[in-house]
Amino acid sequence: AMANVARLMIVLAKECEQVEDKLVRLDGKERSDACKKMEEILSKIMVRVRKNPDSESVLKKALDLQILKSVLFHHPHLSQAGKKDSRGLWIAVLGAESIREETTLYFQQNPEMLMLLVHGASTKDIHIGEILRASLTSLSTAHYMVLWSPLIWQYFQFVGSEDFELSSDAFKTFRNIMIRKDEKEKKSVTAFLKKNFDLFFKCFSQLLTGETYHVKKYALKLLSEILQKRENFTVMVKYIGIPSNLNLMIDHLCADETREKGIKFEAFHVFKFFVANPNKPAKILSVLRGRQKEILRTLVELQNQSEVDYGRELALLIDRLTQLKAPQRLQY
């Protein structure tokens, strides 16, 4: 049966080549028609792969014959069933640990695949989003290639979209890139943040000053996660030493609109870093003192409501802010 699948792979690779030869001369509908035979073969392959998920020799064939790149190239013109099979083949290859080295090499030799995947993030294709996240999760190489290339900056545009579906899927991928489990990858993210601190957080501030509710809420949540990571401690200290960042958090925390409740909650979990810092710079202390009444009024209101639980941290922040005194004047 697996030998039969290998033969189907060869047929699929040839069919992909034939479709690619025609693409230049075809419009959208004709492209979809030309992909139908390709889809039929891909479907037969996936039926067998799903029955034998450990068929790594067959999955390696998909790498050797450049099938992953081909189905990705044709992905926009596939039917929903075809897209599902395309995703299934990608996920199967990425999940096969015994060919991890070959898959890594395949990405290194075909970096344009990541460009196609990242571009797909702007098309609201959930299958492409899942393929990209699976690639980033499985392969350190894919993560490094996206993080340290201009591709990463495109995500600020994707996550900032007013389209909720597009934005939320892009935020999933953006979080996958910035929040890692592997120690080496964590260090890579920290190094990236240190090297690109000004531009990265300038772009982040633009997300937080827009008008779109879901963008501000998700951006604040991700910002909080990035700052609280132990490996990002020096990045966090630098961020909470900048008065404009503090003022932005206070603005979100103290916003009057009732629909901003979700944003208040996320802003609180960034704002707390500024207050908890035992070595606050003079400029940060000045902002906290200048807006002390406004902040305390908001925090007490949050303490008195029962809809959202802020935990013990809320009482601690109120206590610390209450103890803030005006700087003593020098006696002559």
Side-chain angles (χ1 to χ4, degrees):
M2 286 298 104
N4 189 28
V5 179
R7 283 195 292 275
L8 282 171
M9 290 268 192
I10 294 168
V11 175
L12 178 58
K14 287 179 180 175
E15 185 62 29
C16 288
E17 281 179 29
Q18 288 175 11
V19 173
E20 281 156 30
D21 289 340
K22 298 175 190 172
L23 280 181
V24 183
R25 306 187 299 276
L26 302 179
D27 62 21
K29 184 182 182 307
E30 289 174 319
R31 286 186 180 195
S32 294
D33 290 341
C35 287
K36 280 180 181 173
K37 188 176 178 186
M38 200 176 82
E39 280 191 45
E40 288 171 13
I41 304 166
L42 180 59
S43 176
K44 289 176 183 176
I45 290 170
M46 285 313 298
V47 167
R48 289 162 173 79
V49 168
R50 288 186 184 109
K51 284 181 180 175
N52 298 277
D54 299 325
S55 53
E56 269 114 355
S57 60
V58 171
L59 297 176
K60 187 176 180 300
K61 203 82 175 169
L63 299 176
D64 296 340
L65 296 170
Q66 295 282 337
I67 287 173
L68 283 192
K69 188 164 82 169
S70 291
V71 295
L72 183 62
F73 182 69
H74 297 302
H75 191 94
H77 308 293
L78 301 179
S79 66
Q80 280 305 312
K83 287 179 178 180
K84 189 176 177 183
D85 284 333
S86 168
R87 183 196 72 197
L89 182 60
W90 267 84
I91 301 293
V93 171
L94 289 165
E97 287 194 24
S98 65
I99 57 167
R100 187 63 47 84
E101 280 186 33
E102 290 90 337
T103 310
T104 297
L105 183 62
Y106 187 68
F107 267 81
Q108 290 169 340
Q109 292 173 340
N110 299 278
E112 65 275 16
M113 291 193 306
L114 283 171
M115 294 173 71
L116 286 170
L117 287 168
V118 170
H119 174 72
S122 65
T123 63
K124 288 206 296 184
D125 188 326
I126 58 167
H127 300 292
I128 289 290
E130 287 185 23
I131 292 171
L132 178 54
R133 286 189 289 277
S135 303
L136 295 167
T137 301
S138 302
L139 305 173
S140 290
T141 297
H143 175 254
Y144 185 89
M145 289 166 74
V146 172
L147 180 67
W148 289 97
S149 78
L151 293 173
I152 186 69
W153 303 105
Q154 291 185 31
Y155 270 90
F156 284 103
Q157 181 186 339
F158 300 153
V159 299
S161 171
E162 291 183 6
D163 186 303
F164 177 77
E165 200 179 333
L166 195 159
S167 174
S168 57
D169 190 72
F171 262 116
K172 281 183 193 173
T173 306
F174 198 25
R175 183 187 181 279
N176 185 303
I177 296 166
M178 302 311 300
I179 308 295
R180 306 298 292 181
K181 292 180 180 176
D182 179 84
E183 290 303 317
K184 192 175 178 182
E185 291 167 13
K186 286 179 183 179
K187 288 177 182 176
S188 186
V189 171
T190 301
F192 169 83
L193 289 171
K194 287 179 178 178
K195 189 171 190 292
N196 299 283
F197 182 93
D198 292 340
L199 179 57
F200 185 86
F201 288 107
K202 179 186 176 184
C203 292
F204 232 103
S205 291
Q206 288 169 352
L207 294 176
L208 299 174
T209 50
E211 297 298 318
T212 311
Y213 175 85
H214 67 260
V215 172
K216 290 189 284 188
K217 182 181 175 182
Y218 287 140
L220 282 165
K221 184 176 177 62
L222 180 55
L223 177 61
S224 172
E225 285 189 90
I226 290 170
L227 295 179
Q228 69 182 304
K229 287 293 174 187
R230 188 167 47 189
E231 61 270 16
N232 293 335
F233 179 76
T234 55
V235 173
M236 183 266 285
V237 170
K238 186 173 180 180
Y239 183 87
I240 64 174
I242 300 172
S244 60
N245 293 337
L246 174 56
N247 275 311
L248 185 56
M249 289 310 127
I250 296 171
D251 290 343
H252 284 310
L253 184 67
C254 299
D256 290 331
E257 295 88 345
T258 51
R259 69 183 292 272
E260 302 286 305
K261 281 180 184 174
I263 288 177
K264 278 178 183 280
F265 179 79
E266 301 301 346
F268 172 84
H269 286 291
V270 179
F271 171 73
K272 67 187 183 186
F273 296 125
F274 292 90
V275 181
N277 182 11
N279 302 307
K280 299 177 189 66
K283 288 181 179 178
I284 294 296
L285 283 168
S286 177
V287 173
L288 289 172
R289 289 182 183 121
R291 302 185 70 175
Q292 187 179 28
K293 289 181 181 177
E294 176 190 7
I295 301 166
L296 282 171
R297 184 173 64 247
T298 297
L299 294 181
V300 170
E301 284 173 5
L302 295 178
Q303 197 174 39
N304 292 334
Q305 57 82 45
S306 56
E307 296 167 41
V308 183
D309 182 15
Y310 284 84
R312 294 169 54 199
E313 290 174 321
L314 182 54
L316 287 169
L317 288 197
I318 291 172
D319 186 51
R320 288 205 181 183
L321 284 163
T322 305
Q323 291 174 24
L324 270 186
K325 296 181 176 66
Q328 291 185 337
R329 294 185 178 181
L330 293 172
Q331 299 293 322
Y332 294 99

